[in-house]
Amino acid sequence: DAKTTQPNSMESNEEEPVHLPCNHSTISGTDYIHWYRQLPSQGPEYVIHGLTSNVNNRMASLAIAEDRKSSTLILHRATLRDAAVYYCIRGSNYKLTFGKGTLLTVNP
Amino acid sequence: EPEVTQTPSHQVTQMGQEVILRCVPISNHLYFYWYRQILGQKVEFLVSFYNNEISEKSEIFDDQFSVERPDGSNFTLKIRSTKLEDSAMYFCASLQGRSMNTEAFFGQGTRLTVV
């Protein structure tokens, strides 16, 4: 049981920002929020993770709600190479459990 | 950048045969995992391995499956008697393991086809 809820699919235009939402209303205080993505025919790839504070790295930003029941992955300028399935995962007990994720389509 | 490597990239086997999928995780990592992904479906957890023993396994990981880390470097998944429904992509992953405040690294997968 992934215990996160994401939209099945989202669409974006190239060069525009993308906000991918995730609900994790039953998250415990020690669970990290991880985001991974899977490009076609590849293994999952780490994107970003956080606990309470918003996080930025070279790939994306992660905005975490104050109550930690939801988070949003932000791709600041989507490119065609960002087309992938994005997974929001609660990292707990040294295990990552994948849900169905959000299929992001990027239009040129 | 560190990476997890898996071999072979593609394996075709006859039903009932044994297969061994190999992985070289990142050397200083402590947790190792196998996941599988049936075509068109989600990534499913099979097993986690820590301190030379299984720390958790899913319902999928029945007696037909086994894992070992024979030489401190390779991490293998063995399927004793393959079934058609074992056809899937199998991903190995490793985690440094001090906490979940770190990223997991996944290999590019082995595509297993059982005929």
Side-chain angles (χ1 to χ4, degrees), chain A residues 24-92:
Chain A
H24 29 77
S25 57
T26 59
I27 196 167
S28 78
T30 55
D31 289 352
Y32 281 82
I33 299 151
H34 286 248
W35 284 81
Y36 284 76
R37 71 181 185 181
Q38 189 175 24
L39 280 64
S41 303
Q42 295 193 27
E45 174 189 33
Y46 169 80
V47 177
I48 200 165
H49 77 281
L51 186 63
T52 56
S53 306
N54 295 343
V55 185
N56 299 297
N57 67 19
R58 64 177 175 81
M59 287 182 74
S61 296
L62 177 60
I64 301 172
E66 208 168 310
D67 62 8
R68 297 205 339 118
K69 293 185 176 180
S70 66
S71 61
T72 302
L73 178 71
I74 303 163
L75 305 179
H76 294 286
R77 289 179 67 194
T79 70
L80 296 178
R81 287 171 296 178
D82 291 322
V85 178
Y86 286 79
Y87 299 98
C88 167
I89 301 170
R90 287 167 50 176
S92 63

Side-chain angles (χ1 to χ4, degrees), chain A residues 2 30 32 34 36 38 41-46 49 58 87 91-100, chain B residues 1 31 33 35 37 41-43 45 48 56 91 95 97-108 111:
Chain A
T30 55
Y32 281 82
H34 286 248
Y36 284 76
Q38 189 175 24
S41 303
Q42 295 193 27
E45 174 189 33
Y46 169 80
H49 77 281
R58 64 177 175 81
Y87 299 98
S92 63
N93 297 323
Y94 299 101
K95 187 172 125 184
L96 299 171
T97 303
F98 288 77
K100 294 182 181 177
Chain B
E1 172 150 315
Y31 274 86
Y33 306 86
Y35 288 82
Q37 186 173 34
Q41 298 187 24
K42 67 179 184 179
V43 178
F45 169 79
S48 59
E56 189 172 345
F91 296 107
L95 184 75
R98 305 291 175 205
S99 75
M100 288 307 296
N101 185 20
T102 187
E103 64 181 284
F105 290 80
F106 285 80
Q108 288 304 300
R111 178 174 300 283

Side-chain angles (χ1 to χ4, degrees), chain B residues 26-77:
Chain B
I26 294 166
S27 59
N28 64 344
H29 284 192
L30 301 178
Y31 274 86
F32 311 109
Y33 306 86
W34 284 101
Y35 288 82
R36 81 169 186 192
Q37 186 173 34
I38 294 170
L39 186 64
Q41 298 187 24
K42 67 179 184 179
V43 178
E44 300 175 289
F45 169 79
L46 291 179
V47 65
S48 59
F49 192 84
Y50 170 75
N51 201 25
N52 283 321
E53 60 183 24
I54 290 173
S55 62
E56 189 172 345
K57 60 183 180 179
S58 71
E59 290 178 356
I60 303 167
F61 195 89
D62 62 21
D63 292 343
Q64 292 299 312
F65 291 88
S66 62
V67 289
E68 62 175 7
R69 195 155 182 253
D71 56 12
S73 170
N74 293 291
F75 179 51
T76 62
L77 174 69

